[in-house]
Amino acid sequence: MKLYGREFPTPLLWVYASGVAEDVGVVVRARAVGGAWVYQDVQRGRVLFPCGDAKAAGERVDSVLKGRLFPATW
C-alpha cells in the first residue's frame, strides 16, 4: 500500500503479511544516509538494506515480518 499526502513528507510503502495478519507490517521509505540511498524501517528508524538490490531488501523485510509474526521463534 502506498501512502501519500500532506501528513507524509516522503512517500512511504506499507509492506504487510497478506492473508495471515494484515495488521502486521513494516513501513519502508528510501532515504539518503551518508551519501548512499537505503531502505529504512520508518517506525524503528533502522536501516534495512542499501538501495540497489531489491531482492536482498525484500528478503530483509521478510525476516522482519517473520520476527513480528512469530516472535517466540526468532
Side-chain angles (χ1 to χ4, degrees):
M1 172 185 302
K2 297 176 185 176
L3 304 174
Y4 298 100
R6 283 186 225 142
E7 62 274 14
F8 305 111
T10 60
L12 304 173
L13 180 64
W14 170 248
V15 182
Y16 60 93
S18 178
V20 178
E22 294 182 2
D23 60 335
V24 175
V26 60
V27 180
V28 178
R29 72 175 169 184
R31 179 174 178 207
V33 175
W37 284 91
V38 297
Y39 295 108
Q40 181 184 37
D41 178 342
V42 173
Q43 295 158 310
R44 298 205 166 118
R46 66 180 172 187
V47 171
L48 295 171
F49 213 82
C51 290
D53 189 346
K55 182 177 183 210
E59 290 170 358
R60 177 69 182 123
V61 169
D62 184 56
S63 72
V64 168
L65 290 177
K66 284 180 183 174
R68 292 183 186 176
L69 284 168
F70 310 107
T73 60
W74 295 96

